[in-house]
Amino acid sequence: MESSGIHEQYMQRCIELARFGFGKTAPNPMVGAVIVHNGKIIGEGYHHTYGEAHAEVNAINAVEDKSLLNNSCLYVNLEPCSHTGKTPPCADLIIQHKIPKVIISNIDPNRLVKGKGIEKLKNAGIEVITEVIKDQGEELNKRFFMYHRKSRPYIILKWAQTADGYIDVERSPAQPKKPTWITNEEARMLVHKWRSEEQSIMVGTNTAFLDNPKLNVRDWPGRQPVRILVDRSLRLPQNLHLFDGSIPTLVFTLKEVEEDENPAVEFVTIPFDEYLPEHILGELYRRQIQSVIIEGGTKLITSFVEANLWDEARVFTGNKYFTNGVVAPVTGKSPSVTEYWKDCKLDIFKREI
């Protein structure tokens, strides 16, 4: 009889494999699969890129002797799909190869699946075990789960602040100044890594005007996130980096805008009322954007904090002092993780959902 420890061991391998798809599978989840025959792994695979073969398909294809499948066990960290999307249903493939046992970490929250894959397997006489290292599976696909359970993207807030709690000196369009660097090159590289892992990145009007950020991934290999700009009255000049056409950019505004000449820039008209965060997230949900990292400024970040619409806050604190300036946002939570670097620290706050 197999022990739960053995199941956990093989499921850990599924999660390790799934992570290879980080930043490349959205809006699909990250999934890894392992096939075991008589205590030996005979095939494994993971979902590489959105639109390509799923983990179960790659694992089955990796098995050289397919006759072993009808006496094997398939481990997969997410319920096999039961519907036709970009690819055929994985549940049907498992049934076709007569795999007698399937071990699963998490049930798929997507309403197109949500237990239907498991039901299809059981109806075919396949033994199914679920919730093996369930919490680890949830953490792996937290963006996917948030999107399907709460109908919104997973929200990460990010900022850098001084030792005395300011994110910037006082600046204005009438008195422009170059941004003051609070952290270091290592922190910037990490931020670019984070950007490559999320589907979108957002800033407010003042941050866009005063910093003229590119909001791209320059210091880390990976995909460029969709850039999102909040500009109520469309007062930003078109010569900013955000309008350079190199990356798709969404501009949320109150004004009605005719189709822009720049095909990479799309203007989205929404109400700018007390429910602004909800309006933005609703539009991102409709566009199948499952994660957003909000990089500034204080007003925009605070609007999401006050609406209780955030999941993580990643806060760098440098060793500089501004004495006065723009006060940093406050989450009202204690950090769950703190890392100390040479000249700054990183606090990560997580909000329980």
Side-chain angles (χ1 to χ4, degrees), residues 15-26 28-31 46-50 223:
I15 289 175
E16 288 175 6
L17 290 166
R19 285 199 184 101
F20 285 119
F22 199 8
K24 293 175 282 191
T25 64
N28 282 354
M30 292 174 279
V31 183
Y46 68 96
H47 184 35
H48 291 229
T49 307
Y50 174 66
R223 292 195 312 179

Side-chain angles (χ1 to χ4, degrees), residues 12 86 180 231 249 273 303 336:
Q12 287 281 6
K86 293 282 186 181
T180 304
D231 184 7
T249 301
D273 55 21
S303 71
S336 55

Side-chain angles (χ1 to χ4, degrees), residues 68-277:
L68 299 178
L69 290 172
N70 62 13
N71 192 28
S72 297
C73 179
L74 169 69
Y75 290 82
V76 61
N77 61 285
L78 194 70
E79 175 184 4
C81 62
S82 55
H83 68 291
T84 300
K86 293 282 186 181
T87 60
C90 291
D92 290 356
L93 183 67
I94 294 167
I95 294 168
Q96 174 189 330
H97 285 282
K98 300 179 180 179
I99 298 174
K101 190 171 185 177
V102 177
I103 314 293
I104 297 166
S105 180
N106 301 110
I107 295 173
D108 193 329
N110 187 340
R111 59 180 179 79
L112 296 175
V113 185
K114 206 170 187 179
K116 297 184 182 72
I118 292 173
E119 182 182 10
K120 182 176 281 192
L121 295 176
K122 287 183 175 180
N123 288 341
I126 295 172
E127 180 184 357
V128 179
I129 297 175
T130 61
E131 298 190 351
V132 175
I133 57 173
K134 177 184 177 182
D135 290 346
Q136 293 186 44
E138 291 262 355
E139 176 64 22
L140 172 73
N141 279 309
K142 56 191 177 185
R143 297 158 182 82
F144 180 78
F145 284 110
M146 180 59 67
Y147 178 82
H148 286 285
R149 287 175 180 165
K150 299 290 186 178
S151 300
R152 67 164 174 84
Y154 190 85
I155 303 163
I156 300 169
L157 312 177
K158 172 263 162 185
W159 69 88
Q161 63 186 33
T162 60
D164 54 350
Y166 296 96
I167 67 168
D168 201 354
V169 297
E170 288 292 347
R171 294 187 291 160
S172 70
Q175 295 179 316
K177 299 177 184 177
K178 288 186 178 180
T180 304
W181 195 249
I182 295 175
T183 55
N184 55 32
E185 295 294 331
E186 289 80 5
R188 185 172 73 174
M189 184 179 294
L190 178 58
V191 169
H192 283 231
K193 177 179 181 292
W194 289 343
R195 290 177 180 179
S196 73
E197 295 168 350
E198 309 308 330
Q199 282 188 274
S200 64
I201 180 170
M202 186 191 313
V203 295
T205 312
N206 287 338
T207 299
F209 185 87
L210 297 172
D211 292 353
N212 191 16
K214 295 180 180 179
L215 298 187
N216 61 9
V217 178
R218 304 183 298 282
D219 296 332
W220 194 267
R223 292 195 312 179
Q224 304 287 354
V226 173
R227 300 185 294 201
I228 300 170
L229 174 60
V230 181
D231 184 7
R232 176 183 180 129
S233 57
L234 294 183
R235 65 181 178 86
L236 291 171
Q238 294 295 299
N239 61 354
L240 295 179
H241 293 310
L242 291 174
F243 299 113
D244 62 12
S246 63
I247 302 170
T249 301
L250 289 178
V251 182
F252 287 102
T253 179
L254 183 62
K255 292 192 171 184
E256 294 286 346
V257 181
E258 295 182 4
E259 187 174 344
D260 193 77
E261 295 179 358
N262 187 341
V265 179
E266 182 179 353
F267 293 90
V268 182
T269 303
I270 59 172
F272 272 65
D273 55 21
E274 60 182 313
Y275 301 108
L276 178 61

